[in-house]
Amino acid sequence: MSRLHEVRMKVRHELEVPPALRRFGSGWISGVLGLVLGIGGLLLVISMLAPGILTLPESEPLRTNHWYRVGLHVLLLISFGLSALSLGLRKDRTLGTCGVAVTVLASVIGGSQTTAIIAGRAPMFLGLDFFVLRILFTGFLFIPLERIFSHRGEQPVFREEWREDLFYFLVSSLLVQVLTFLTFLPAKTILAFAPLTSVRAWVGTLPLVIQFIAIMFLTDFVQYWVHRAFHRIPWLWKFHAVHHSAQSMDWMAGARMHFLEILALRCTTVIPMFVLGFSPGVMNTYIFVVYLYSTFVHANLSWRFPLVEKLLVTPRFHHWHHGIEREAIDVNFAIHFPLFDRLFGTYHLPKDKWPSGYGLEGHPVPLGYLEQFKYPFKGEIKKDE
């Protein structure tokens, strides 16, 4: 165990090295990419050993597609190649060695030709494949944008508290079945008592574009007030403080949210779009767009969009919601449309100005997922923290 801890600390140290040791040609970039792709490939291979337990049922058409295995094979080859390149370029061979090791381990297990050793679909499952695909897709989409168009150029990819936020990604992905069931439970309960057959039939016949716009406005109106309640009601603030404890804003920061707040927010926003009968395709599109949009507004991006930010929430708008300044307390609750903040007196967007920092005054929320999970249940928490 001590040897494993030593290796883990060496990897962490290498990931967080100063800028001078991360420059192009140092083998750091290839080492990081090789290790990340190797770990991703290994986890996908492990998920294929017990697909009924470690994968989403919705991903089965993807997994059974021939090109999925071809893609996994290419992923492992690229990981091995990049890790080998890092070994040749970098003096410290930690990243390269670990990248080669996880790639070889994935291949030994079975690689892209892995077959299930546990057959059948279990009643309860974990979204391990969902976690890997989610991280790879979102990371490879936003990290290059943040490197090229960063608001805080000095902020590294592996910035302070990156491990906490990565773990939030892991938990919400693994527990996707539980979250989905509990999220839809209130809406399904409402429909059981009030079917709203005629209303649902009418909404379902609306043009898809109209349905999508309606969902965006309805859910944002609900989210505005739920979000505002989490700021104004002391016992709810205890949970929301976890989200606001992030001291850095980037593509991972939005994942930091207390499990019970995730349930509250999703349950209340699902009610209007599910109960009113919007088509499943539109709802799925909305969920995908909102996921990307939430990542976007938390991202470390300098994009201003002077005209667009009058109509849509932008990174600068939402960064002010997370600002550490006194003027940033209880402002900018909208998720999509600043119109609601303008209407209800919580709009704040100083011209050509960004927050000086992020987080809570005094940074009272502890580090670590478990400690942050327990934090709302510990004593009194001041609203202005």
Side-chain angles (χ1 to χ4, degrees), residues 26-343:
S26 66
W28 185 83
I29 296 175
S30 58
V32 169
L33 288 174
L35 179 61
V36 169
L37 294 178
I39 292 175
L42 175 61
L43 293 179
L44 288 177
V45 169
I46 291 174
S47 71
M48 292 166 65
L49 292 174
I53 300 174
L54 300 176
T55 67
L56 271 62
E58 293 80 3
S59 67
E60 185 173 355
L62 176 64
R63 293 194 316 274
T64 55
N65 189 298
H66 168 72
W67 291 105
Y68 179 82
R69 292 183 179 271
V70 172
L72 178 56
H73 189 72
V74 171
L75 180 74
L76 294 173
L77 287 177
I78 293 175
S79 170
F80 187 86
L82 289 172
S83 299
L85 177 62
S86 179
L87 286 173
L89 293 175
R90 196 162 184 80
K91 182 177 180 180
D92 189 317
R93 299 188 172 187
T94 302
L95 294 177
T97 301
C98 290
V100 168
V102 294
T103 306
V104 170
L105 178 59
S107 301
V108 170
I109 292 175
S112 61
Q113 301 304 312
T114 299
T115 56
I117 59 175
I118 301 178
R121 170 60 58 182
M124 297 290 291
F125 60 84
L126 300 174
L128 182 59
D129 61 336
F130 180 53
F131 167 69
V132 175
L133 297 175
R134 181 184 175 195
I135 283 290
L136 292 181
F137 172 75
T138 315
F140 278 95
L141 178 61
F142 281 95
I143 290 176
L145 292 177
E146 290 188 340
R147 293 300 89 200
I148 300 171
F149 305 104
S150 60
H151 166 56
R152 292 175 177 260
E154 75 283 358
Q155 180 175 298
V157 174
F158 297 98
R159 41 74 175 172
E160 186 178 4
E161 301 179 4
W162 67 270
R163 294 177 301 138
E164 281 81 2
D165 294 335
L166 180 63
F167 195 77
Y168 274 94
F169 261 104
L170 175 64
V171 172
S172 63
S173 299
L174 291 179
L175 300 182
V176 63
Q177 181 189 25
V178 174
L179 283 170
T180 302
F181 172 78
L182 295 177
T183 294
F184 279 87
L185 185 60
K188 290 181 177 180
T189 303
I190 291 173
L191 280 180
F193 288 96
L196 300 177
T197 306
S198 58
V199 173
R200 289 170 58 83
W202 177 74
V203 170
T205 60
L206 292 173
L208 298 182
V209 174
I210 299 300
Q211 288 191 49
F212 181 77
I213 295 173
I215 284 181
M216 293 289 287
F217 268 96
L218 283 172
T219 55
D220 202 31
F221 179 76
V222 172
Q223 286 183 96
Y224 173 88
W225 288 107
V226 172
H227 193 179
R228 188 165 176 170
F230 268 96
H231 275 256
R232 297 295 175 85
I233 300 174
W235 68 272
L236 288 178
W237 168 249
K238 294 179 180 182
F239 294 93
H240 194 53
V242 172
H243 181 62
H244 276 268
S245 68
Q247 299 180 45
S248 302
M249 293 291 280
D250 65 2
W251 67 281
M252 286 198 298
R256 181 184 302 201
M257 189 174 291
H258 196 280
F259 188 84
L260 296 182
E261 183 185 358
I262 293 176
L263 286 179
L265 186 61
R266 292 187 182 181
C267 285
T268 51
T269 53
V270 158
I271 288 174
M273 67 178 181
F274 189 77
V275 170
L276 293 178
F278 290 97
S279 68
V282 173
M283 287 194 294
N284 290 334
T285 301
Y286 164 80
I287 292 170
F288 178 70
V289 169
V290 167
Y291 170 69
L292 288 181
Y293 202 80
S294 175
T295 307
F296 167 68
V297 298
H298 286 91
N300 179 28
L301 293 172
S302 61
W303 292 343
R304 282 287 315 279
F305 306 112
L307 296 178
V308 176
E309 68 183 8
K310 297 179 184 298
L311 302 174
L312 297 173
V313 169
T314 60
R316 190 167 77 96
F317 178 92
H318 195 68
H319 279 220
W320 269 110
H321 178 72
H322 282 264
I324 202 167
E325 288 90 343
R326 288 282 175 172
E327 63 183 295
I329 294 177
D330 292 348
V331 298
N332 298 358
F333 295 118
I335 308 300
H336 308 132
F337 305 108
L339 170 66
F340 294 119
D341 284 289
R342 290 182 182 274
L343 287 175

